[in-house]
Amino acid sequence: MLAEFAGRPELADEMTGQLLDAFRRLVADDPVTMPGAPQLVAKAAVFAPLAVASNCPRDVVEDGLAKAGLLRYFGHVLVPEGDVRPKPYPDVYLEAARLCGAAPGDALAVEDSHCGFLSASRAGLRVLGVGPRKPVDEPPPVDVWVSTLADPDLVKWADSRAA
């Protein structure tokens, strides 16, 4: 998209490679997690199978989760490959639910991007939207919105399920 916006579509592959290389370096140096994410993931793993559905390359996702100490909680890492199309298509979420043994309507997606909201919603999952503020110009298709994964009500919910 950047290459097209810049009027240089022939640079798309080169720009994609440069962006992924820069992202890999950032993750290698300091895999930042959202506030509350490590605690919520650890609690959720007690009562539900967990999967990651991402548009990032597998190595980026797995390396970032491993460096953040979270990979062990996830039974599956889904990325666009083979017949699985990228978000906003529902494929990664449908496959994640299937691998976790859950019907899509019984699964919960935690998302922070519009593309992810659409993907999870189209797959029929319940969607927990996360971010400092809910977009107002184009409200996302989410069931619940929290500004942080450390939200007290969300933590209370996870604690009650883990117990």
Side-chain angles (χ1 to χ4, degrees):
M1 287 183 353
L2 289 173
E4 287 180 25
F5 182 76
R8 301 288 307 270
E10 73 277 8
L11 296 178
D13 290 341
E14 181 181 343
M15 290 175 75
T16 298
Q18 290 175 349
L19 286 169
L20 281 174
D21 288 346
F23 188 73
R24 283 183 175 100
R25 283 191 303 277
L26 288 171
V27 170
D29 292 342
D30 185 18
V32 177
T33 61
M34 286 185 168
Q39 297 83 359
L40 182 63
V41 167
K43 289 175 186 177
V46 171
F47 63 84
L50 302 182
V52 172
S54 177
N55 272 356
C56 287
R58 180 177 302 282
D59 68 300
V60 172
V61 177
E62 290 179 346
D63 289 349
L65 289 171
K67 287 183 171 90
L70 298 175
L71 184 60
R72 63 189 167 119
Y73 294 111
F74 295 94
H76 310 281
V77 174
L78 282 296
V79 298
E81 54 190 14
D83 292 336
V84 177
R85 297 173 297 175
K87 299 173 187 178
Y89 293 103
D91 301 21
V92 289
Y93 276 114
L94 289 171
E95 185 65 5
R98 185 188 72 75
L99 289 172
C100 286
D106 293 332
L108 174 68
V110 177
E111 267 296 346
D112 65 349
S113 75
H114 187 73
C115 188
F117 302 144
L118 291 175
S119 177
S121 176
R122 290 172 178 168
L125 278 71
R126 295 182 195 152
V127 183
L128 172 67
V130 183
R133 59 190 170 281
K134 188 175 183 178
V136 292
D137 55 337
E138 188 175 346
V142 300
D143 296 287
V144 175
W145 186 271
V146 294
S147 61
T148 173
L149 293 177
D151 178 88
D153 290 334
L154 182 59
V155 171
K156 186 187 300 183
W157 171 80
D159 285 341
S160 71
R161 295 291 305 243

